[in-house]
Amino acid sequence: VGPHIPQHRYLIDTIAGGSVIQGSAGEAAIVAFLAAITKKTTSVRQRLFQSDGTCFPTFCSRDNMVVFSSDQAHAIVKKACMVLGIGHHRVIPTSKENNFAMNSEDLRDAVSEELAMGRLPVAVVATTGTTSSCAFDPVQAIADVCKEFGVWLHIDAAYGGAYACVPELQPLFSGLQQVDSFVVNCHKKLLCPFDIAALYVADRGPVLQALSLQPEYLRNAASESGAVVDYEHWQLPLGRRFRALKLWFVFRRYGTDKIRLHLEKGLALSAYFSSLLMGEESEQLFELAVPVSLSLVCFRLKGRSEEDQKRFLYNIKATGDCFIIHTKLADRMVLRFACGGLEQSREDVYNAFKVILRVAKEM
Ligand SMILES: Cc1ncc(COP(=O)(O)O)c(C=O)c1O
């Protein structure tokens, strides 16, 4: 993917790491959290049983565990906590001043507070390309906090991860070498049809410990000799679809250079769209809600009420010529224009802008 991604750490034939295709970023988060829980409870057990093991059951009960993410993390984080019965999801607030990225000092304070309350921090989720505004949490600084407290760091790179292969964007991903796991959705920017999410783990041990079972009817010589990798031990279901095939076709059809060009085209189009919004003809009408990030442009009608923003969105969709969806940032409604579709051209973006401009002028 890119030189900064330490492939040697994540490939199956290395000492510790590994990678596996999952169905979605949501499933990948569940697998990562299971591994995090296993790793944490194993280390706590070792520590406690050397002294007094009596508090282990309460301290290590899932009710007492806590997972951390920013308020911009995707809902998969909360859902993974719900599914696994993790008692607490500590949400770190973000702010416009920090472009809605997590502040690592706030994270450090939150982890310390949870520990002081007697809770067991098991995992932190940082996002490189949040869903609402494509914010980038600072991976390196967050990795330092996680290391300090011995907490598993999972990176949700579902949307943004593919852009790591664009050389100029690599600084956005620095620190990825330090994380425990990260996931990239190939069904987002890597041109595959749904569903295929690549999960990387720096240490496959806790994943296998959490998910391996060997019932009699699955015993076979190849597995027992270690000649094959049984991916059933890396995921929730037993059976697997042959998802790798569609990724293989994409790589055969495009190759890494053309995938990079495709991503760069999305970046150029988002820059183009924002230049139209902020151009002479329109800058009185629109404002950018955050600086453009990757292929996403978040904008609002300038100086208008929340009701107007809603009506604006409704009116744009009602034209049937342009489809955009909204989010809320700091409680304010924001419209999101996504660039980077495979067949999207500069002309398409210009035409969409014309629709948006017309609707804005009519308001
Ligand atoms: C940052 C991020 N994480 C996770 C998801 C959810 O992905 P999946 O449907 O693969 O679980 C999305 C989807 O929009 C996303 O943008």
Side-chain angles (χ1 to χ4, degrees), residues 78-131:
K78 186 158 273 324
K79 196 182 256 190
C81 292
M82 281 159 57
V83 169
L84 295 172
I86 293 172
H88 306 274
H89 174 203
R90 173 83 184 243
V91 175
I92 317 285
T94 57
S95 65
K96 184 169 163 57
E97 293 64 50
N98 204 21
N99 285 332
F100 300 97
M102 195 197 298
N103 179 315
S104 61
E105 287 309 312
D106 293 347
L107 173 67
R108 178 178 278 110
D109 292 346
V111 176
S112 305
E113 277 170 31
E114 295 291 336
L115 280 168
M117 285 190 276
R119 293 195 182 134
L120 183 58
V122 284
V124 170
V125 178
T127 311
T128 51
T130 60
T131 309

Side-chain angles (χ1 to χ4, degrees), residues 23-28 72-76 127-132 156-160 183 185 187-188 194-197 336:
S24 65
E27 286 166 54
Q72 299 299 310
H74 194 277
I76 56 167
T127 311
T128 51
T130 60
T131 309
S132 280
D156 180 355
Y159 168 73
V183 67
N185 274 4
H187 58 250
K188 287 196 165 45
F194 188 77
D195 57 346
I196 170 167
R336 300 158 71 252

